[in-house]
Amino acid sequence: MQKSVLILLLLVIFCSCKQQNQDHVVSKKTIIRKHPKSISFHFENTKQWLEKTKDSAQFRIVFAINRTDKSNITKMDSIIIPGDLTGDIEFYLPFPLEVPYLKDINKIIFFSYPTQTFAAYENGDLIYTGPTNMGRKKDPTPTGLFYTNWKAEKTTSTFNDEWDLRWNFNIANKLGVGWHKYELPGYPASHSCLRLQEKDAKYLYTWADQWILKDDENVLVKGTPVIVFGKYDFDAPKPWLQLTQNPKALNISVVEIENEVKPRLNAILSEQKKRENQPSK
């Protein structure tokens, strides 16, 4: 009888542990991407390409490759065009599709100064990417680890009160630095902020988390981690012009992302845990 009770008890403990393990399994998000047949780039006359192109997805890719937007691309004599435009935008920009080292980080955003691109990851998977125009030579964007804090659908620039900033999300409160929708001339041109196309600014505005304040003076929980990294050579030609000679010239490696995160990982996970421990409303 005692032997039967012991066996039953062991079975209950085993099943309980198995159930607990199952409860803690995080299902990996399935992301379906459309691969282009090949990746290559060449120059084309801007006016001629715009006249013959009607596909909005192709416009989005070409704007991103040239780090510009709809209103500014017409000011360029020639632009970089992929040989095959049938893939998703992720395949034409430099961030890796997966970074296993980020698997424990729920949300993180990267801004690459040298490539003038950004990327958002969820648990190591690239979920959104696009072009940016960051700080000009005399007003460089600060680099390092930041966290999103306050946001506003529309606010006024602290540099010029005549400039309206849409989908503004601040990452450095005391410095007044954040991302927002503003024109992208195709090179670093801002007064230290991170300029984005409106679609991209609105996406990140909705996706990223705001800080949680304890009171008017103290932060209880920081927002989504943002890492701004690298240097831009203002005296050299635009880096993405190299793509016509080497399609992989700007690729950001998994190791590079890992090296940027590693010294900051504990701080990021600590802030993430604080958010997870907040009572749900």
Side-chain angles (χ1 to χ4, degrees), residues 57-105:
Q58 293 185 3
F59 278 128
R60 181 170 180 246
I61 292 169
V62 170
F63 293 162
I65 291 169
N66 291 275
R67 312 314 194 244
T68 191
D69 53 26
K70 184 177 181 180
S71 62
N72 280 279
I73 198 168
T74 57
K75 302 173 185 178
M76 301 176 180
D77 293 330
S78 62
I79 50 177
I80 303 171
I81 305 294
D84 178 2
L85 269 163
T86 61
D88 289 335
I89 191 171
E90 294 88 350
F91 295 102
Y92 305 96
L93 295 180
F95 278 93
L97 300 180
E98 293 182 79
V99 182
Y101 189 75
L102 305 178
K103 64 182 177 62
D104 294 326
I105 302 177

Side-chain angles (χ1 to χ4, degrees), residues 39-56:
I39 295 288
S40 63
F41 301 92
H42 60 274
F43 290 108
E44 285 196 30
N45 177 274
T46 305
K47 184 178 180 181
Q48 292 176 0
W49 187 84
L50 291 174
E51 287 177 347
K52 69 180 181 182
T53 305
K54 306 299 179 185
D55 190 309
S56 59

